Amino acid sequence: MKKNKGLFILIAVLAVLLAVYFGLQSWNKSKEKEKEKQEEAAVVHVTDTAAEDIVSMKFDVGNGEMIFDKENGKWSYTPDPDFPLAQSYPEAMADAVGNITADRELSDGDAMEDYGLDEPVYTVEYTDAHDNVTDIYFGNMTGDCYYVTVGDEGRVYTVASTALDSLSYTLDDIAQLDAYPSIGSGNLVKEVITRNGQTTTYDSENEDQEEDIAAVAGGLGAVTLSEAADYSVEDEELAGFGLDETARITVEATYTEDGEEKVLTLYIGDEDGDGNRYVMMNDSRIVYLISDEICSNILNESE
């Protein structure tokens, strides 16, 4: 009986300890939620629009005017709808402009011109799905913050300069460039060059062309698509780059990827005068700049 009594006491103590433990857990969670609510209540919202509700944006924060529109869930660069826009950028921009918070709101402030808000340094405008237009004006700086106001509401806030970070991009930054395959002497099957109606073929199965295959594979493998001369070239503009059908050099490279044969088509045009040549690939409308040296290797012009 004494043993059973001792066991019952241990079980009772354990039950009490568990009750205390779970009680503390629940108390801690309630305190954390209360703290989060207090922190949220303390946040001063300059703008408060969900990113998915924003359908257009216009601003110039030092890198030139940017205008974007969203239709059927997809963003486009308004001045050039064919521009290859990487969607992650306007999505981040919409999130940034719709959720601007302030360090503080000024009370009994001075006139707008005292904050540089009569002639703003930057203006950010966005429109939501209900055609509501919001204008955010950035004036003078105070420390690491801008004086900011929205529309004609007359309220002045101080907003961290980092609020503009997600908008400070150039077109080169936000372009979605083409994916270029990995090609080398180990997976290059064949390269066919067509120039002025004449065709030259380098075949990996031709033992007499081992050095040629190594040379052209080295050129193909050195290509990086990082600089563009035109992001959405029109057919009538191709001649200006030497990329019209009568002038360009066509390179068809057959290579293997995951055991499957694929074909990369490159069109090589004129030199740009700065050590590069204009190049297009497959059916892309982007004109890239590739160094003369790499293009010469692709064409095996050092043979």
Side-chain angles (χ1 to χ4, degrees), residues 178-184 187-193 216-217 219-225 249-257 260-268 279-284 288 290 298:
D178 298 297
Y180 186 83
S182 176
I183 300 178
N187 70 334
L188 179 61
V189 177
K190 181 172 59 177
E191 180 185 88
V192 179
I193 303 170
V216 298
L220 291 167
V223 171
T224 56
L225 304 180
I249 303 170
T250 300
V251 177
E252 291 186 346
T254 303
Y255 63 99
T256 57
E257 184 177 88
E260 180 183 352
E261 282 197 1
K262 297 184 177 182
V263 177
L264 166 70
T265 301
L266 294 177
Y267 302 107
I268 300 177
V279 177
M280 294 176 70
M281 64 176 285
N282 298 333
D283 56 356
S284 173
Y288 294 98
I290 307 296
I298 292 172

Side-chain angles (χ1 to χ4, degrees), residues 23-171:
L24 286 172
Q25 287 283 85
S26 177
W27 184 80
N28 285 333
K29 287 181 180 178
S30 67
K31 295 299 288 183
E32 287 176 4
K33 288 182 179 179
E34 182 180 343
K35 182 180 178 182
E36 288 175 0
K37 288 181 179 179
Q38 290 175 347
E39 290 175 348
E40 288 176 3
V43 173
V44 178
H45 286 276
V46 177
T47 60
D48 193 10
T49 306
E52 57 266 26
D53 291 335
I54 296 176
V55 297
S56 71
M57 298 177 288
K58 180 170 68 174
F59 53 85
D60 182 349
V61 295
N63 291 322
E65 186 175 68
M66 294 281 195
I67 308 175
F68 303 96
D69 286 292
K70 184 171 69 174
E71 188 172 351
N72 297 323
K74 184 177 181 180
W75 286 99
S76 63
Y77 177 59
T78 309
D80 182 3
D82 293 325
F83 178 84
L85 178 63
Q87 293 295 300
S88 60
Y89 287 96
E91 289 169 358
M93 291 171 181
D95 184 59
V97 300
N99 186 35
I100 297 175
T101 58
D103 286 0
R104 64 192 178 103
E105 178 182 347
L106 305 184
S107 58
D108 300 324
D110 298 323
M112 288 293 172
E113 53 264 30
D114 294 321
Y115 301 109
L117 290 168
D118 57 328
E119 296 182 4
V121 178
Y122 304 124
T123 299
V124 176
E125 175 189 297
Y126 70 82
T127 304
D128 66 19
H130 303 291
D131 292 328
N132 297 311
V133 179
T134 301
D135 292 299
I136 309 111
Y137 302 107
F138 291 76
N140 297 334
M141 290 198 74
T142 172
D144 293 327
C145 295
Y146 284 101
Y147 290 115
V148 171
T149 191
V150 178
D152 57 1
E153 67 178 20
R155 297 178 180 175
V156 178
Y157 309 88
T158 56
V159 172
S161 60
T162 53
L164 296 176
D165 286 353
S166 294
L167 310 181
S168 301
Y169 293 103
T170 66
L171 286 180

